[in-house]
């Protein structure tokens, strides 16, 4: 049975939305091949007697049930006995997140971990994009309020993003320079990403799915009226889309680089054919939404590329 267990490190299933959640979508697909799902939360990961132990439960997912998950058996698991481990908890990318990557590093030569814990730790989802700066809107990364002021004077409308935030949280559209507001913003978030505002965001962004170094599909997410946030959690609506020649070129470049960095599954975003600087490697989402829109099942692609 050693090769028939998939461990998932994630937020408790009760916190997940089965209508959109990629973790459930991936788990549901692998269940069809008679794999068992062992699920645990990051706080329940330990090193005990030199073994990597997680306190969690075996779980079964079923989209047809109102309560979409059933806990079968609670137990402690030596994670080296699993075939794969999926790191799927949502950010924030904080010290607990970092600690779990160090712990899982100790068994990654025995168990395939997706994404590679060392790589997750090394690739900052926003700072990593600086490697592809020429494909981005004008962007700076800084904690210097005077650099932000200079940048604002150049562009008039600027997006402020905390480097380690997620899901559109704490993103601010700066339409006038407010010294006190920005000072407090920097105190709360440290280094931030400042980016020229792209007005075409009202027509949507594009989320591109990368699996094992290949561009596998995309959806567009259109902000709700009056918003500039394209996150589904902020009320955006998903629609089908096609990538332009330029977007495909940039996506392939990034996909190749991510594979070299041992990132198996990632999501990247475009606004008006420009990379917006969010390269999601911690817990990429959107596969269930793509399937609902197009019946393209990238969960199958995911597991096939892992040679289950």
């Amino acid at each position: 049975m050693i090769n028939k267990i998939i461990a998932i490190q994630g937020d408790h299933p009760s916190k997940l939305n089965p209508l959109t959640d990629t973790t459930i979508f991936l788990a549901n697909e692998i269940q069809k091949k008679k794999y068992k799902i062992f699920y645990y939360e990051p706080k329940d990961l330990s090193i005990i007697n030199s073994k990597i132990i997680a306190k969690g439960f075996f779980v079964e997912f079923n989209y047809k049930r109102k309560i979409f998950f059933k806990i079968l058996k609670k137990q402690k698991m030596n994670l080296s006995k699993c075939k794969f481990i999926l790191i799927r908890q949502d950010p924030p990318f904080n010290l607990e997140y970092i600690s779990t990557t160090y712990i899982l590093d100790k068994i990654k030569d025995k168990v395939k971990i997706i994404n590679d814990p060392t790589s997750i730790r090394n690739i900052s989802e926003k700072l990593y994009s600086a490697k592809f700066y020429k494909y981005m809107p004008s962007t700076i990364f800084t904690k210097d309020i005077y650099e932000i002021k200079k940048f604002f004077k150049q562009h008039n409308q600027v997006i402020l993003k905390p480097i380690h935030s997620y899901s559109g949280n704490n993103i601010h559209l700066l339409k006038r320079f407010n010294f006190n507001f920005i000072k407090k913003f920097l105190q709360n978030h440290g280094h931030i990403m400042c980016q020229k505002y792209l007005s075409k965001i009202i027509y949507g962004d594009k989320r591109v799915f990368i699996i094992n170094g290949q561009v596998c599909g995309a959806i567009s997410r259109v902000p709700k009226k009056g918003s500039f946030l394209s996150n589904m959690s902020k009320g955006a609506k998903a629609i089908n889309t096609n990538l332009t020649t330029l977007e495909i070129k940039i996506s392939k470049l990034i996909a190749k680089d991510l594979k070299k960095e041992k990132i198996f599954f990632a999501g990247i975003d475009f606004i008006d054919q420009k990379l917006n600087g969010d390269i999601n490697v911690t817990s990429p989402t959107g596969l269930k939404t793509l399937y609902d829109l197009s019946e393209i099942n990238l969960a199958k692609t995911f597991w096939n590329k892992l040679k289950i």
Side-chain angles (χ1 to χ4, degrees):
M1 193 54 70
I2 187 170
N3 288 329
K4 285 288 189 178
I5 299 173
I6 307 290
I8 297 176
Q9 176 178 295
D11 303 312
H12 193 277
S14 62
K15 296 179 180 177
L16 306 180
N17 179 358
L19 297 178
T20 58
D21 189 80
T22 292
T23 303
I24 300 168
F25 191 57
L26 291 168
N28 183 69
E29 187 62 37
I30 198 62
Q31 281 178 167
K32 296 174 187 175
K33 297 183 183 292
K34 309 300 181 185
Y35 277 78
K36 293 186 176 182
I37 308 297
F38 180 77
Y39 205 104
Y40 68 94
E41 295 181 67
K43 65 182 178 62
D44 294 319
L45 185 64
S46 305
I47 303 174
I48 309 291
N49 296 326
S50 298
K51 294 177 180 177
I52 308 306
I53 303 294
K55 186 168 67 174
F57 46 84
F58 283 97
V59 63
E60 183 180 83
F61 293 102
N62 189 331
Y63 282 117
K64 294 178 182 178
R65 295 192 194 125
K66 186 175 181 181
I67 300 175
F68 62 90
F69 68 95
K70 182 180 179 182
I71 293 175
L72 304 174
K73 182 184 179 184
K74 294 182 179 181
Q75 72 173 69
K76 292 180 181 178
M77 170 67 72
N78 179 347
L79 292 184
S80 65
K81 295 186 179 296
C82 301
K83 184 162 186 182
F84 296 104
I85 300 170
L86 307 189
I87 300 177
R88 291 294 308 168
Q89 78 264 29
D90 282 338
F93 191 75
N94 54 18
L95 280 174
E96 180 179 67
Y97 211 122
I98 291 168
S99 295
T100 64
T101 66
Y102 279 119
I103 293 170
L104 291 175
D105 269 347
K106 298 185 181 302
I107 54 169
K108 71 175 190 174
D109 58 337
K110 299 176 184 176
V111 183
K112 177 74 173 174
I113 304 173
I114 304 137
N115 281 312
D116 181 280
T118 311
S119 300
I120 289 177
R121 193 169 61 246
N122 288 347
I123 294 178
S124 165
E125 294 197 322
K126 291 182 174 63
L127 286 169
Y128 177 78
S129 64
K131 290 178 76 171
F132 307 98
Y133 191 78
K134 66 180 178 179
Y135 302 116
M136 295 169 65
S138 185
T139 303
I140 62 171
F141 300 90
T142 189
K143 196 180 175 181
D144 187 327
I145 196 166
Y146 297 102
E147 290 294 341
I148 296 170
K149 186 174 184 180
K150 193 194 312 182
F151 189 76
F152 178 77
K153 281 184 176 179
Q154 283 179 296
H155 300 294
N156 298 316
Q157 291 193 80
V158 170
I159 294 289
L160 305 181
K161 295 184 185 181
I163 285 173
H164 299 297
S165 193
Y166 66 104
S167 294
N169 295 325
N170 304 307
I171 293 178
H172 184 76
L173 173 56
L174 195 67
K175 293 183 177 181
R176 65 182 185 86
F177 192 85
N178 182 325
F179 190 92
N180 289 331
F181 170 82
I182 297 171
K183 184 180 178 183
K184 189 173 181 181
F185 195 83
L186 293 170
Q187 286 172 347
N188 289 336
H189 302 293
H191 278 77
I192 64 170
M193 180 185 197
C194 306
Q195 195 168 75
K196 178 185 176 182
Y197 174 65
L198 298 178
S199 60
K200 287 189 178 180
I201 184 58
I202 62 170
Y203 304 114
D205 74 352
K206 293 182 184 181
R207 160 56 60 94
V208 181
F209 305 110
I210 293 171
I211 302 175
N212 198 31
Q214 290 190 320
V215 179
C216 293
I219 58 173
S220 178
R221 303 170 300 180
V222 182
K224 66 182 181 182
K225 190 174 181 180
S227 175
F228 60 90
L229 298 174
S230 59
N231 310 80
M232 304 284 285
S233 60
K234 303 300 183 189
K237 179 183 177 183
I239 59 173
N240 273 316
T241 192
N242 293 309
L243 297 176
T244 67
T245 302
L246 178 59
E247 289 164 343
I248 291 169
K249 175 191 170 184
I250 298 168
S251 297
K252 284 182 175 179
L253 281 171
I254 296 170
K256 184 179 178 182
D257 198 71
L258 288 171
K259 185 169 184 178
K260 188 173 67 179
E261 296 284 354
K262 297 183 180 177
I263 292 293
F264 179 82
F265 181 31
I268 64 175
D269 300 330
F270 290 95
I271 302 171
D272 191 21
Q273 299 193 92
K274 293 185 182 295
L275 184 70
N276 85 338
D278 288 296
I279 298 179
N280 191 330
V281 300
T282 53
S283 58
T285 61
L287 297 194
K288 176 68 164 57
T289 304
L290 175 69
Y291 177 74
D292 290 339
L293 288 170
S294 65
E295 295 191 357
I296 296 170
N297 189 341
L298 289 189
K300 279 186 178 179
T301 305
F302 180 97
W303 293 115
N304 287 341
K305 287 184 180 295
L306 283 171
K307 298 180 172 61
I308 283 290

